[in-house]
Amino acid sequence: MTEERHPIIEALDARPPWTPARLTRVMQRVNPAVRTVSAKIDPIERDWHAITESALTAADGPGALPLWAALGDSTAQGIGASTIDHSWIARIDAALAADDRPHALVNLSRSGATSEHVIDEQLPLLDLLPAAPTIVTVCVGSNDLMRNPNPSALAERLNRLVAALPAGAIISALPAPSFSPTGRYVNRALRETAADHRVLVAELGPHMVAPHRGVSADLFHPNDRGYDAWMRAFAEQLGLDPDRVPAQGAVTSRLPGP
């Protein structure tokens, strides 16, 4: 008899394969590094699905761990990091466990996601969880910026997302430099809406490093050092000391054997 799979895993597996945006397709043709990073996207997403399936099994029944639901785009997948154990999510996961706050980690994000994808495809999956998550994190905005850089339109889309999040959720600010007028405008609007809806903002700006130090080989996604900004911004909102967060998590230990 075939074991029935959790409806969240069915929904994740039913997603179509990642499709690169037009600019990415162009860069893939001319830059081998972009092709290398892009080739990791689908395998990494499959690994997160397997980790999530394991977490959902552990979160259902007596003595179940509280849930952490991670939403968003490739920055929640850890694309660009040397391994997903070096992603900011895996590092925070290890820090919570070391702080006697272990959680069952359910990563519902996907590469290429925009704020609308989070609202329409990811947030509804929270209703299928065995219990309400005690932590909800969201990383999104870069793909919105690439598709429509108009500041007011971008702020409106992110504000709609914030309004749809549960109170206490943590959303990252737009990863834009302080001298960017669009970044300042959007992040100011994001903070105002977040305060109105009791949503916390993970401030990336103070922790960002220079692009030549923090960007992966494809010159778009963060590398291990770049993701340190995400780790520090979310650690602050979760009451963790960023300097005590391990440099590497252990989420890959939850993957099934060959």
Side-chain angles (χ1 to χ4, degrees), residues 43-76:
I44 285 174
E45 185 168 3
R46 287 195 295 271
D47 282 349
W48 278 120
H49 289 182
I51 292 165
T52 294
E53 187 166 20
S54 175
L56 289 169
T57 300
D60 196 4
L65 292 174
L67 289 164
W68 169 10
L71 314 177
D73 56 23
S74 58
T75 56

Side-chain angles (χ1 to χ4, degrees), residues 47-232:
D47 282 349
W48 278 120
H49 289 182
I51 292 165
T52 294
E53 187 166 20
S54 175
L56 289 169
T57 300
D60 196 4
L65 292 174
L67 289 164
W68 169 10
L71 314 177
D73 56 23
S74 58
T75 56
Q77 293 271 303
I79 304 301
S82 54
T83 71
I84 60 173
D85 281 334
H86 290 88
S87 66
W88 74 266
I89 283 184
R91 294 176 63 191
I92 291 287
D93 174 74
L96 288 170
D99 198 42
D100 293 323
R101 297 162 58 190
H103 282 72
L105 173 57
V106 178
N107 194 334
L108 307 176
S109 66
R110 77 166 314 183
S111 292
T114 64
S115 54
E116 291 179 345
H117 289 132
V118 175
I119 293 171
D120 296 338
E121 299 175 9
Q122 298 179 27
L123 271 174
L125 297 179
L126 299 187
D127 293 333
L128 302 178
L129 292 171
T134 59
I135 297 176
V136 176
T137 58
V138 187
C139 297
V140 76
S142 296
N143 295 313
D144 292 78
L145 182 61
M146 291 181 65
R147 296 184 184 199
N148 183 354
N150 179 276
S152 59
L154 175 54
E156 193 277 331
R157 292 195 301 275
L158 291 175
N159 287 346
R160 282 195 289 114
L161 169 58
V162 169
L165 292 174
I170 311 170
I171 186 170
S172 63
L174 196 68
S178 59
F179 56 80
S180 165
T182 297
R184 289 199 304 271
Y185 177 90
V186 172
N187 285 335
R188 183 169 58 249
L190 182 69
R191 294 184 196 106
E192 292 173 356
T193 303
D196 291 341
H197 292 276
R198 294 185 295 158
V199 169
L200 306 175
V201 177
E203 296 287 356
L204 298 173
H207 307 296
M208 301 289 285
V209 297
H212 70 279
R213 296 165 59 195
V215 179
S216 69
D218 69 354
L219 303 181
F220 178 70
H221 292 97
N223 58 17
D224 289 357
R225 190 161 189 173
Y227 275 121
D228 206 61
W230 274 260
M231 179 278 290
R232 290 179 175 276

